[in-house]
């Protein structure tokens, strides 16, 4: 596997969640072909398995964490000692990443169940009203906006929590005055989805302020010294959960669209350099924790998710030079 055509063929041999996005982002497929493939996401593969695991309007009996007394329905998968990724928030994040159609009847039923029954662990707030941490609330906004739920109150809160340097940080309540890459990318993801969904509040200025926070740092360097903030950000994982890495940052700016900022060039080169001789990108830095089921073979193996995200991000970034 070396030619781009071979890589595309390999990607198209994956789950419907991968296939429809490959058709949309990497091929000349028609809108009808893309729509037909996307329609399969909720009825087969990963997304169907996730939808089938919902009980009583939530996953694993909780919003951010499994409920007391919840046990996996089958063999334990992942690291049970690390942060679990099986509750409602990470599961809905993954369904959104899969691109499941919000209009699908099974999806609507599942989301309405969350709206009506799922409450945050912090103080029992309804799921789409958010809680107190901006990284969590950014995820709630992204999910709610994508699935057509009211997240206006959570957006208002996030807009009031933006820091002077342009970003956000969940550690503000503990005295932090500087932003966090992790929190900022979660909030930006939410604000962009909200904006695209036609939300009533003006969020573009706040979103652009957060983007500038990342761009001033080249997506991975300290503003003060130019050093790499965290070497782990130079390795790519899926799902990223609440974590930041360079591929997640570059793929976010691809989603924003427009002409790539020149300050993205180093990040794009870094993503390009991690391509393997066979044309794929690896899964490199899986975030440990309990999961519903394995999506791919694990660290060190070729990753369809990372390959899709890298190829489409680079295609967007490099189009300015073609």
């Amino acid at each position: 596997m070396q030619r781009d055509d071979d890589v595309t063929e390999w990607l198209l041999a994956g789950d419907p969640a991968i296939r429809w996005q490959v058709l949309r982002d990497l091929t000349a497929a028609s809108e009808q072909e893309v729509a037909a493939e996307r329609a399969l996401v909720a009825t087969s593969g990963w997304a169907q398995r996730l939808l089938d695991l919902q009980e009583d309007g939530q996953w694993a009996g909780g919003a951010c964490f499994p409920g007391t007394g919840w046990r996996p329905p089958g063999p334990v998968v992942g690291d049970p000692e690390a942060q679990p990724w099986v509750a409602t928030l990470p599961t809905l994040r993954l369904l959104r990443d899969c691109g499941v159609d919000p209009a699908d009847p099974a999806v609507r039923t599942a989301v309405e169940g969350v709206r009506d029954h799922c409450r945050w662990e912090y103080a029992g707030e309804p799921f789409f009203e958010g809680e107190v941490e901006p990284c969590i609330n950014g995820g709630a906004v992204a999910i709610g906006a994508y699935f057509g739920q009211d997240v206006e109150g959570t957006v208002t809160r996030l807009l009031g929590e933006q820091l002077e340097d342009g970003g956000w940080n969940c550690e503000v309540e503990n005295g932090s005055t500087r932003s966090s890459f992790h929190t900022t990318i979660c909030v930006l993801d939410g604000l962009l989805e909200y904006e695209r969904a036609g939300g009533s509040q003006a969020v573009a200025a706040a979103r652009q302020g957060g983007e500038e926070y990342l761009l001033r740092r080249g997506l991975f360097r300290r503003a003060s010294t130019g050093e790499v903030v965290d070497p782990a950000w130079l390795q790519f994982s899926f799902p990223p959960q609440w974590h930041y890495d360079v591929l997640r940052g570059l793929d976010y700016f691809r989603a924003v669209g427009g002409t790539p900022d020149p300050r993205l060039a180093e990040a794009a080169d870094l993503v390009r350099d991690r391509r393997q001789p066979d044309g794929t990108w690896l899964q490199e830095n899986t975030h440990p924790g309990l999961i519903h089921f394995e999506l791919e073979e694990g660290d060190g193996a070729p990753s369809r998710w990372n390959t899709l995200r890298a190829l489409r991000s680079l295609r967007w970034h490099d189009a300015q030079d073609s």
Side-chain angles (χ1 to χ4, degrees), residues 12 21 52 76 102 132 136 157 188 212 216 268 273 297 311:
L12 289 171
Q21 295 184 67
D52 288 346
V76 172
V132 295
I136 290 175
R157 179 177 185 128
L188 286 176
E212 184 64 22
R216 283 198 304 271
D273 289 346
E297 293 183 16
L311 285 174

Side-chain angles (χ1 to χ4, degrees), residues 250 264-274 314 317-318:
L250 188 64
L264 293 172
E266 187 180 15
D269 286 343
L270 189 151
V271 171
R272 189 178 295 105
D273 289 346
R274 298 200 75 80
L314 292 173
H317 179 270
D318 297 346

Side-chain angles (χ1 to χ4, degrees), residues 58 62-64 114-122 124-127:
Q58 51 192 349
C64 193
V114 172
R115 180 197 63 201
D116 296 339
H117 300 291
C118 190
R119 300 290 184 269
W120 291 106
E121 290 83 2
Y122 181 77
E125 309 95 324
F127 187 87

